Amino acid sequence: MPQPTDRALQARLREIFDARDRSHMQPTIEAFLAVLAEHPTDAEVLYEVGGAYDTAGEEQTAAGYYERAMAAGLDGDARRRCLLQYGSTLRNLGRLDESLGVLERARAEFPESDSLKVWHATSLHEAGRHDAAFAIMLELVADRVRSDELLRYEAALRGNAAFLAERDR
């Protein structure tokens, strides 16, 4: 059973993450790799290294770290974020079937996650499944946008989402 990442290490990871410069990720990568050298099997450290490589545009390297993080027992919200980022990375690598599989499993594991719904829709769209992608987005609008104007059409939004989802099948 993997040990959970202790609070001091989590704070260190957060500090490195918060200091990152998305346009120049090498210092962040190096900082996370230094932590990884001290904690080579820690799931959250592996995930953060993957995320840094992903932000730097090194998706192939990122994917390997995401896989190692999940194999090391990553759980909770970090697991949700890792699955989202891994699914997105697979999409960017052109591995659409794998991306969809990861994101579908992630949505089953975290059914309330709006971000997973959006990235799942993005991968569906990339795979040419436009009806299914738009259905997810319509459902998300019906679930989360609570304006009087849209509430009037909530049943129609949900009906159209159901129609499009069924048409995709």
Side-chain angles (χ1 to χ4, degrees), residues 102-116:
V102 166
L103 292 167
E104 286 162 6
R105 287 190 305 276
R107 285 194 57 200
E109 192 172 333
F110 301 97
E112 297 303 315
S113 173
D114 292 342
S115 60
L116 281 169

Side-chain angles (χ1 to χ4, degrees), residues 26-84:
Q26 196 57 42
T28 302
I29 291 169
E30 290 170 9
F32 280 136
L33 287 174
V35 176
L36 183 61
E38 299 168 22
H39 305 276
T41 61
D42 187 277
E44 288 190 44
V45 175
L46 288 161
Y47 159 66
E48 292 294 354
V49 172
Y53 277 112
D54 204 353
T55 302
E58 298 181 42
E59 286 93 352
Q60 191 65 48
T61 302
Y65 281 103
Y66 291 152
E67 291 163 359
R68 288 175 56 196
M70 289 182 285
L74 191 64
D75 63 0
D77 194 56
R79 178 174 173 78
R80 180 194 57 79
R81 292 189 318 268
C82 185
L83 287 166
L84 182 150

Side-chain angles (χ1 to χ4, degrees), residues 137-157:
M137 298 307 284
L138 283 176
E139 289 172 355
L140 190 58
V141 167
D143 289 343
R144 299 291 185 247
V145 180
R146 309 312 293 165
S147 71
D148 289 340
E149 184 178 349
L150 280 175
L151 286 172
R152 176 183 175 108
Y153 302 104
E154 182 176 2
L157 287 170

Side-chain angles (χ1 to χ4, degrees), residues 86-99:
Y86 181 50
S88 177
T89 293
L90 292 171
R91 184 192 72 247
N92 290 338
L93 291 171
R95 296 163 55 185
L96 295 176
D97 289 341
E98 292 172 80
S99 172

